[in-house]
Amino acid sequence: MSGTTRTTAHVAPPVGTDARRDGLGDGVGRGPSGRDGTDGLDAARVSWSVDGRLVLDGVDCTAPTGAVSGLLGPNGSGKSTLLRVLAGVRAAPSTAPGGGAAQVRFDGADLLALPRRRRARVLALVEQDATTDLPLSVLDAVLLGRIPHRSLLAGDSAHDREVARAALARAGMAAFAEREVATLSGGERQRVHLARALAQEPALLLLDEPTNHLDIAAQLDTMRVLRDLADDGVAVLAALHDLNLAAQTCDHVVVLADGRVVAAGDVHEVLVPEVLDAVYGVRCEVLTHPRTGRPVLTFTPQD
Ligand SMILES: Nc1ncnc2c1ncn2[C@@H]1O[C@H](COP(=O)(O)OP(=O)(O)OP(=O)(O)O)[C@@H](O)[C@H]1O
Ligand SMILES: [Mg+2]
């Protein structure tokens, strides 16, 4: 996007680094720092193109362990593409013209080099508008999150069911366990997808607009769940359109425009008119929340 402000990338310090799992196995080490000294997700120079068009152009993106990181940017800026590339759902990143090789590391280990099943024990992705056409009960849909944790031929164990029910409770959906997914409302379905990802017990949780179907109370519930997960030692990266939700919850934000990072860092440094006005083509004013001290943003059209 022409006229956007580029600011220096900052990386928020990890907040509370006590990982909730004692080890991921599979060669992905947990601990106070990864093999290359980076704790959490560290993606660098990620590019992705389709039909000769560069959708992601040398994106650097971090999501520290113990922090909630927000991935922001206008429609079409590349947020979903980036999350899908990071999750290995979309083909491996290409190298940007003139750039070095892309890398996607988690706790220092090469995430995309992991076989799919092992990667699914490290990260979970909650996709934007995920749909489930299968005639599944809510509990069975959430149990799908346990598949990477059990041997291929084994059925659900008592532990799997316990984890799935706890994930449903955490997502506020315990009362819906026996319902058919197909009968749920959009917001209820979105929370089931969150529960499925929670049942996967990931060390890295990627979410694509996890609040877009939710009422305000449910939005706050979901952001609280993300905060709690981060406090438990998970690295959380969520694409969000609501900049005020991001301002309230995130430790660290990355702003994309036209497939490039235009700003990254602490919410107080990035959620400012100098960045947002150019990126979104609006006039933004920043107030300070009287209780939390966090930014509160208001928007008006540019003349
Ligand atoms: N398979 C594809 N073929 C063609 N264009 C694509 C493909 N995938 C993504 N794009 C384009 O890449 C750009 C980035 O798409 P992406 O879905 O990542 O944006 P986004 O930031 O998630 O947007 P939104 O906020 O609307 O969800 C868009 O212009 C989109 O049309
Ligand atoms: Mg998207």
Side-chain angles (χ1 to χ4, degrees), residues 24-78:
L24 291 170
D26 303 320
V28 181
R30 300 286 302 178
S33 70
R35 284 175 210 158
D36 67 354
T38 306
D39 199 20
L41 175 74
D42 183 10
R45 301 174 295 278
V46 174
S47 294
W48 191 84
S49 35
V50 63
D51 301 334
R53 184 185 151 215
L54 206 49
V55 171
L56 297 176
D57 184 3
V59 169
D60 294 343
C61 176
T62 58
T65 290
V68 179
S69 300
L71 181 60
L72 313 178
N75 293 133
S77 56

Side-chain angles (χ1 to χ4, degrees), residues 231-286:
D231 290 347
D232 286 351
V234 176
V236 178
L237 177 63
L240 296 168
H241 274 303
D242 186 330
L243 302 181
N244 276 306
L245 269 191
Q248 264 178 49
T249 309
C250 294
D251 304 296
H252 173 247
V253 287
V254 176
V255 183
L256 290 182
D258 280 349
R260 294 178 170 208
V261 174
V262 292
D266 185 271
V267 287
H268 292 277
E269 292 169 42
V270 174
L271 300 182
V272 294
E274 293 75 16
V275 173
L276 300 178
D277 288 6
V279 168
Y280 288 95
V282 296
R283 245 187 92 208
C284 161
E285 276 166 293
V286 182

Side-chain angles (χ1 to χ4, degrees), residues 18 20-21 66-68 170 194 197-198 202 205 207 222-236:
D18 73 338
R20 66 183 183 145
R21 274 159 302 284
V68 179
R170 201 162 192 184
L194 173 64
L198 297 179
L205 179 58
L207 308 106
T222 291
M223 297 310 282
R224 165 54 71 96
V225 169
L226 301 189
R227 163 55 51 207
D228 289 348
L229 287 169
D231 290 347
D232 286 351
V234 176
V236 178

